Amino acid sequence: MIPFVNLVAQRNLYREELEKAEARVLDSGSYVGGQEVQNLENELAIYTGVHHCISCASGTDALELALNALGLRPGDEVIIPDFSFISPAECVYRLGGVPKFADILPDTFLIDPADLMPLINEKTVGIIAVHLFGQTSAMEILRSIAKSHGLWLIGDAAQSFGAKRGGKHCESLADITITSFYPTKPLGAYGDGGALFTDNADLADKLRKLANHGARSRYFHELNGKNSRLDALQAAVLRTKLKHFDEELKQRQKNAEKYNQFFSQFPNVEIPIIDSENTSTFAQYTLRSKDRNHWLNIFDQAEIPTGIYYPRPLSRQPCFANLSGQMKNSGAARACHEVFSLPVCAFTDVEFILSQLKKKL
Ligand SMILES: *Cc1c(COP(=O)(O)O)cnc(C)c1O
């Protein structure tokens, strides 16, 4: 069976460099934080053009740290797209906040800025824009809405590290942007990991402390923080993969283009639509079809793996059942019934996949 993300092929290609980097850390005696992690943070800041990069233990932790740093309090309301991975809503809820679910745009699956106004009231404190499947939300509109209502804006770039909007890296377009280094994300480690990006020095200082038991210097705890650190081995792996990252992005985009050409000939399936301001990292290559089951069957017979991101709107998850007065988001509901994703990483052989598929069509 073809792997959905071919991490073994990636490791084989970079093996020599990776093993060198891994040995450097294992032989150094320094395994959490330290120079390797600092170097990674510097390189990520340079890559994205953002002033401060703070690494941490996961993308989910990064969201929680960001909410802490921005001062989320129990009862505060935060606007989140209804069609997303659960982390943003989960983190708001765990800190006592109330997720308010906005609908998505029907073409890009990103949060619909026009749906925000009815959700904003005196309890609203912020917006989390999820840059889903690798493309950036309409940050210039979200920023102006946030500004005029005194709200903060977080970008969730767990799927879109390296994506640009209007020529700028998505990590530079919010008060704080987070990303994830979960192994199957576009830039993945060999375990959990995450990072936060901000141009605001005060927020950066706070985030650094929060991720390290609230302390800047050892045993002097200014804030009530936690342990959320990246280990040096993951940093070394990420630094190695970062060197090849732009090349990989190009290959992902080429793969997506090959799929686009093939699937445009079928009337009952829609290829991904990329906003003209955006470049996409294609964290997922996501098709949509009213005949999804028909397509899933064919892929199944051709032994090509598919994924459904996501089968259920967040507002209809059992864990949020007690949130009263959630509105029905028809765009999110429709997407949940129609989307399915195909393997698209830099090491996916799209020609082989399409040749297998043709035999079953
Ligand atoms: C993967 C993901 C996260 C969480 O990242 P972890 O590192 O797995 O905690 C958050 N948001 C989105 C949109 C994601 O896809």
Side-chain angles (χ1 to χ4, degrees), residues 19-234:
E19 286 180 350
K20 233 172 156 179
E22 290 154 7
R24 179 174 74 225
V25 171
L26 293 176
D27 294 340
S28 76
S30 171
Y31 304 121
V32 177
Q35 194 59 46
E36 198 72 36
V37 171
Q38 218 172 325
N39 289 347
L40 172 71
E41 291 179 350
N42 291 341
E43 287 160 15
L44 292 173
I46 290 167
Y47 182 84
T48 56
V50 181
H51 277 95
H52 308 278
C53 170
I54 300 100
S55 60
C56 66
S58 73
T60 305
D61 257 15
L63 282 163
E64 198 182 306
L65 292 164
L67 292 166
N68 271 149
L70 291 163
L72 185 84
R73 286 179 309 191
D76 287 350
E77 295 187 3
V78 179
I79 299 172
I80 296 166
D82 204 2
F83 183 65
S84 162
F85 187 60
I86 196 166
S87 287
E90 172 187 64
C91 292
V92 167
Y93 198 61
R94 283 182 69 85
L95 294 174
V98 183
K100 300 300 271 189
F101 297 107
D103 208 356
I104 52 162
L105 294 162
D107 49 357
T108 57
F109 306 116
L110 300 168
I111 191 167
D112 182 356
D115 205 45
L116 261 53
M117 296 312 286
L119 297 176
I120 296 176
N121 62 53
E122 66 283 351
K123 289 189 192 153
T124 313
V125 295
I127 302 164
I128 304 180
V130 178
H131 305 325
L132 206 68
F133 301 156
Q135 64 171 326
T136 311
S137 312
M139 297 305 274
E140 61 293 338
I141 309 176
L142 298 178
R143 271 188 105 107
S144 81
I145 295 173
K147 197 168 173 208
S148 63
H149 292 86
L151 312 177
W152 46 252
L153 178 59
I154 293 176
D156 178 342
Q159 300 181 12
S160 64
F161 177 81
K164 290 181 182 171
R165 180 170 180 81
K168 286 191 176 155
H169 277 277
C170 69
E171 294 82 1
S172 68
L173 301 176
D175 296 308
I176 300 174
T177 299
I178 70 97
T179 197
S180 161
F181 303 126
Y182 183 77
T184 56
K185 307 280 180 182
L187 181 62
Y190 288 152
D192 277 310
L196 299 118
F197 297 86
T198 182
D199 280 322
N200 181 315
D202 292 335
L203 281 177
D205 186 58
K206 228 177 192 175
L207 289 168
R208 239 175 238 298
K209 285 178 194 155
L210 286 169
N212 185 34
H213 302 295
R216 178 194 274 296
S217 53
R218 195 174 280 191
Y219 309 130
F220 180 65
H221 305 279
E222 297 166 65
L223 301 168
N224 186 32
K226 65 186 288 187
N227 166 8
S228 182
R229 299 177 295 225
L230 188 70
D231 55 77
L233 198 56
Q234 303 309 338

Side-chain angles (χ1 to χ4, degrees), residues 343-358:
V344 73
C345 82
F347 303 89
T348 299
D349 186 345
V350 172
E351 263 125 39
F352 176 72
I353 287 179
L354 293 179
S355 73
Q356 294 299 96
L357 191 64
K358 279 176 201 161

